[in-house]
Amino acid sequence: EHPATVLCLFALWLLPLLVSASQVAVDRLVPFLVQNVQMDLSLAVIAVLMLILQITGVALVLWVQENLDRVVRLPSILVFVIYAAAPGLSIWLATRTTLRSLAVAPCFALLGVYSFGTGYLRWADDLLD
């Protein structure tokens, strides 16, 4: 088979492991990130930071416009895998939202059911094409 296909399938096979690892990382990082930090920044420092970000953004846009032909090179199999995985991913997220919201806030279960329905409709629409 093609190495890119095998790599994409391997990445999909590892997806649950990567999601679990990211969940553990988030569970450990959120308490650290929630801490209040007291910083006194003057208006001049904030203005200079915003100016630097603006210049950097414009430079990045100009670079991308000049090098667009080298930047945008996606293999067609990657586009297909992402397109094919989207309905399954949306249904998985909807199921997770529904189950988690039943334990935390039951009113959000309706949002999960709505997302589940729209994911199913997208999947059914793709089958009709």
Side-chain angles (χ1 to χ4, degrees), residues 48-89:
V48 168
L49 287 175
M50 295 300 281
L51 184 65
I52 290 171
L53 286 174
Q54 183 73 30
I55 292 170
T56 305
V58 169
L60 182 65
V61 166
L62 291 175
W63 183 84
V64 167
Q65 286 177 347
E66 290 174 2
N67 300 308
L68 190 61
D69 57 336
R70 285 189 283 163
V71 173
V72 181
R73 286 189 186 166
L74 288 176
S76 60
I77 189 72
L78 179 64
V79 174
F80 173 74
V81 166
I82 291 171
Y83 182 77
L89 181 64

Side-chain angles (χ1 to χ4, degrees), residues 41-48:
L41 293 177
S42 68
L43 187 59
V45 172
I46 294 173
V48 168

Side-chain angles (χ1 to χ4, degrees), residues 33 81 87 109 112 116:
L33 295 174
V81 166
F116 189 77

Side-chain angles (χ1 to χ4, degrees), residues 101-117:
S101 64
L102 287 175
V104 177
C107 60
F108 286 117
L110 294 175
L111 179 63
V113 170
Y114 174 77
S115 298
F116 189 77

Side-chain angles (χ1 to χ4, degrees), residues 81-126:
V81 166
I82 291 171
Y83 182 77
L89 181 64
S90 69
I91 289 177
W92 174 74
L93 288 171
T95 305
R96 190 182 104 192
T97 301
T98 304
L99 294 176
R100 284 191 177 183
S101 64
L102 287 175
V104 177
C107 60
F108 286 117
L110 294 175
L111 179 63
V113 170
Y114 174 77
S115 298
F116 189 77
T118 57
Y120 173 76
L121 290 175
R122 179 177 176 186
W123 174 75
D125 187 44
D126 286 345

